Amino acid sequence: MKSESYSRLAQETLDRVEGSLVLDTDVERFLANEFERRPFAAPARSGIEMSWRDFFAALPGCHEQGYLRYLSPKTRSGVLPNAEVAAELEKLGGLTPEAFERYFHESQVTFAAQRGGEHWQALGDAERSMAELFDTGVSVTVIATPARTAGTVIHYDDGDVLPIQFQGEKRWEVFEPQDRFPCRRTPPRKLALDEGSLIAHQVYDLEPSDGLYVPRGWIHRVSNRGDEPSLHASFVINANTWLSVFANLMDHAFATLRGRQRWRQALTRADIGSPEALVELDRFVEELRERMRSGMVEGGPASVDFLVNSSAGEELRALARQSIAEMESGPGVRVRRSGAHYLLRHSDNGDCVRVSGDGKRYYDVPSRFFYSVLRQDGTSLADLEGASFSPQEIADGLYTLVYKTGAFRLESSDA
């Protein structure tokens, strides 16, 4: 099986075996026999737990940061607007843990708290350890489902899911996949749910401290068991694939090529499909290919969708943010790469690129400004002013690149 592409991550992880899994099982056996192959049930690793009190205590912060989703089958989209929920919470006392708890029990609405690792330390520790194990992004969502409800419809995920049950009981009906190895870059497939289309695999009844592994693509239907509400966390392993690398490198290359006047010349309908046009297409593809190759060499991990940031990278970002607070503005100040990883993504705004320092939060930066500061020896503020950037454009650009992403820093030219 090692020659198959989907086992590459498992093999590389076996070679390293750093970090740990959220399931209490032998990691090497799991990687060799279950990972990306079949579902697997095991107890949760010791220390990964959550009480109802701990859950509700963190919800005000989750809500204010926009990470709390309210799922209801009564709406067409399946999601209630945050403003509508906030109005109901106000009637119950405002954004307090007690108001959230009362609303949960009275509304029959499922709470899905995204980025759970940022709000519950035990989950954050487990998330980082598993990210180290797989060398890819891991996310965790905490889901509270009222009694006698399902919360979600039958579906599959484009990442490997590891649910850990905290409170109540939940039934997971797992079916064979209809779309093997989906990923972030593949469109979701409409499931065939008619009789005979779903091939049952197994039913798992999870109680507190139970865990499960469901490979990406495997279909599952989840519902509460008994008359108690359920609380569980779903850890998701987000795979990087060749599709994501190619897509991101094409974005990087296209951002450069669209600035070439040669490719902005007008065409007529008669040009399309002509021998001359095919020659031009070959030239464009070759130039695109070269830009993609250079982007892969220069950008490295910036080509992937999910990045695991080392402690050294976090320190570099922290120092970059510190530099913008300490530096006095002046012509002798330069902006340089901090040394931390940065990731670029396509922006819906054609004049911008999206920049991230952690692979989670992306910020739009004007393309011309970004590529002006992306030089080996950095760029001085005087150079930016000489390039006709206004003081406001410089301040906004540096605040985003230095303070928000941490991928660039400010320093004195005398340093």
Side-chain angles (χ1 to χ4, degrees), residues 322-330 332-334 381 409-413 415:
Q322 182 180 340
S323 75
I324 200 170
E326 296 178 347
M327 188 62 58
E328 292 290 337
S329 178
V333 175
R334 300 187 72 82
L381 297 188
R409 71 177 188 274
L410 296 181
E411 64 179 37
S412 168
S413 58

Side-chain angles (χ1 to χ4, degrees), residues 88-96 99 102:
E88 294 299 318
L89 290 169
E90 192 63 33
K91 299 175 185 178
L92 300 175
L95 298 181
T96 66
R102 184 176 170 187

Side-chain angles (χ1 to χ4, degrees), residues 141-216:
T141 300
V142 182
I143 302 175
T145 311
R148 298 176 296 280
T149 59
T152 58
V153 298
I154 187 169
H155 68 286
Y156 69 88
D157 295 283
D158 58 17
D160 300 86
V161 181
L162 294 93
I164 302 297
Q165 192 69 26
F166 296 137
Q167 305 293 332
E169 300 178 9
K170 207 135 200 181
R171 169 163 290 182
W172 288 70
E173 300 174 75
V174 182
F175 305 87
E176 297 278 345
Q178 295 177 3
D179 182 18
R180 280 199 174 271
F181 313 121
C183 64
R184 184 180 184 183
R185 297 290 179 165
T186 54
R189 174 175 176 172
K190 185 176 181 180
L191 295 177
L193 301 177
D194 51 300
E195 187 175 353
S197 296
L198 285 176
I199 303 175
H201 173 74
Q202 191 168 336
V203 175
Y204 301 91
D205 290 327
L206 301 190
E207 299 180 354
S209 299
D210 286 343
L212 180 65
Y213 167 71
V214 182
R216 55 187 168 125

Side-chain angles (χ1 to χ4, degrees), residues 251-252 255-256 344 353 366-375:
D251 281 348
H252 168 79
T256 301
L344 299 182
V353 295
S367 300
R368 178 169 164 263
F369 186 88
F370 177 79
Y371 289 110
S372 292
V373 302
L374 191 63
R375 297 176 183 171

Side-chain angles (χ1 to χ4, degrees), residues 267-280:
L267 299 175
T268 67
R269 285 181 294 176
D271 290 322
I272 304 302
S274 68
E276 292 81 4
L278 293 176
V279 170
E280 286 298 287

